[in-house]
Amino acid sequence: MEKEYQFIATVEKCRGCGLKLSGKHVEVGGWKGSVPMGYCKCGTAYPLVEIESEPEPVEPAPEPTPPEPESEQEE
């Protein structure tokens, strides 16, 4: 599963165009050292944080059902 990222909590609005960015999920547009960076629609770059996702619950496999006995047909 691919990691998901969002803009850091201190970024509420884009300083370039004013678009609301807080809580938006984005793809990594590049890296600044070891920090993932994302871009607003206007092109302004902001640092991203990885979204902590809970592991998907694993459902147990259903038990196989025995085949039904074939009934004999009278002729």
Side-chain angles (χ1 to χ4, degrees):
M1 183 175 166
E2 215 173 289
K3 294 180 182 179
E4 294 183 357
Y5 293 88
Q6 67 184 17
F7 292 106
I8 60 172
T10 57
V11 177
E12 292 182 13
K13 289 185 177 180
C14 176
R15 64 182 175 264
C17 67
L19 183 68
K20 180 182 174 190
L21 299 176
S22 64
K24 298 235 181 192
H25 294 224
V26 293
E27 292 182 16
V28 175
W31 292 83
K32 190 173 188 178
S34 62
V35 178
M37 301 295 285
Y39 295 93
C40 175
K41 290 182 179 181
C42 72
T44 305
Y46 294 98
L48 301 175
V49 292
E50 184 178 340
I51 299 171
E52 297 293 328
S53 59
E54 296 178 11
E56 295 179 15
V58 177
E59 295 181 19
E63 294 182 21
T65 56
E68 295 181 18
E70 295 181 19
S71 59
E72 295 181 21
Q73 294 181 357
E74 293 182 22
E75 291 184 28

